[in-house]
């Protein structure tokens, strides 16, 4: 074990000698490591920011798709109702004409009521 420890120490001293010969000191290595750690922190922050934005866009997309699905279902329901009405012989034109004639009947009824009210007001005087 002592031989192994001595061999390891020798390897470390050799490595230190090579680093010093190339002008690399422990201080330089420490500064380089610190710079890389800072760069990694900045990258992690950017990744978190991108993930947050992606999550936000996912929520917006899901909300949009839900609205589209609701609208599609509403259109399907309307088409189904139109098909059912047409199967019963009630076309849009027929329904429109029925509505117009009911409106005309309501107008005449309102005119009659106004006329009766006017007559009633005359009698009251």
């Amino acid at each position: 074990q002592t031989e192994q420890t001595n061999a390891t120490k020798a390897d470390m001293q050799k490595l230190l000698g090579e680093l010093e010969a190339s002008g690399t000191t422990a201080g330089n290595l420490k500064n380089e490591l610190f710079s890389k750690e800072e760069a990694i922190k900045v990258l992690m922050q950017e990744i978190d920011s991108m993930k947050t934005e992606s999550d936000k866009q996912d929520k917006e997309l899901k909300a949009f798709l839900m609205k589209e699905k609701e609208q599609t279902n509403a259109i399907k329901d309307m088409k189904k109702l139109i098909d059912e009405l047409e199967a019963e012989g009630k076309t849009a034109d027929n329904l429109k004409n029925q509505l117009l004639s009911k409106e005309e009947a309501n107008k005449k009824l309102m005119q009659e009521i106004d006329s009766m009210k006017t007559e009633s007001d005359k009698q009251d005087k």
Side-chain angles (χ1 to χ4, degrees), residues 99-124:
L99 186 60
L100 286 174
S101 60
K102 285 182 181 179
E103 284 178 357
E104 286 299 315
N106 281 342
K107 280 183 188 176
K108 285 182 183 176
L109 195 60
M110 291 302 288
Q111 287 172 350
E112 286 179 30
I113 291 170
D114 284 346
S115 173
M116 291 169 70
K117 186 175 182 291
T118 304
E119 188 60 34
S120 172
D121 288 348
K122 281 183 185 177
Q123 289 176 359
D124 286 348

Side-chain angles (χ1 to χ4, degrees), residues 29-85:
L29 290 173
K30 183 179 174 184
N31 289 339
E32 191 175 325
L33 182 61
F34 182 74
S35 296
K36 287 183 179 178
E37 285 176 351
E38 287 299 308
I40 289 171
K41 283 181 189 175
V42 169
L43 281 174
M44 293 303 288
Q45 289 171 348
E46 287 179 16
I47 290 169
D48 286 346
S49 175
M50 290 168 72
K51 186 179 180 312
T52 301
E53 183 64 25
S54 175
D55 290 348
K56 180 182 171 189
Q57 288 175 351
D58 285 350
K59 285 180 185 175
E60 290 173 354
L61 179 61
K62 285 179 186 175
F64 173 77
L65 291 175
M66 287 300 291
K67 279 186 181 178
E68 286 292 313
K69 184 178 179 182
E70 289 171 6
Q71 289 177 348
T72 300
N73 288 340
I75 291 170
K76 286 179 185 177
D77 291 344
M78 289 172 66
K79 284 182 179 178
K80 182 179 174 185
L81 180 61
I82 290 170
D83 290 344
E84 289 171 2
L85 289 170

Side-chain angles (χ1 to χ4, degrees), residues 5-19:
T5 304
N6 288 340
T8 303
K9 284 181 181 176
D11 287 342
M12 289 177 73
Q13 285 178 344
K14 180 181 175 188
L15 180 60
L16 264 172
E18 290 172 3
L19 288 172

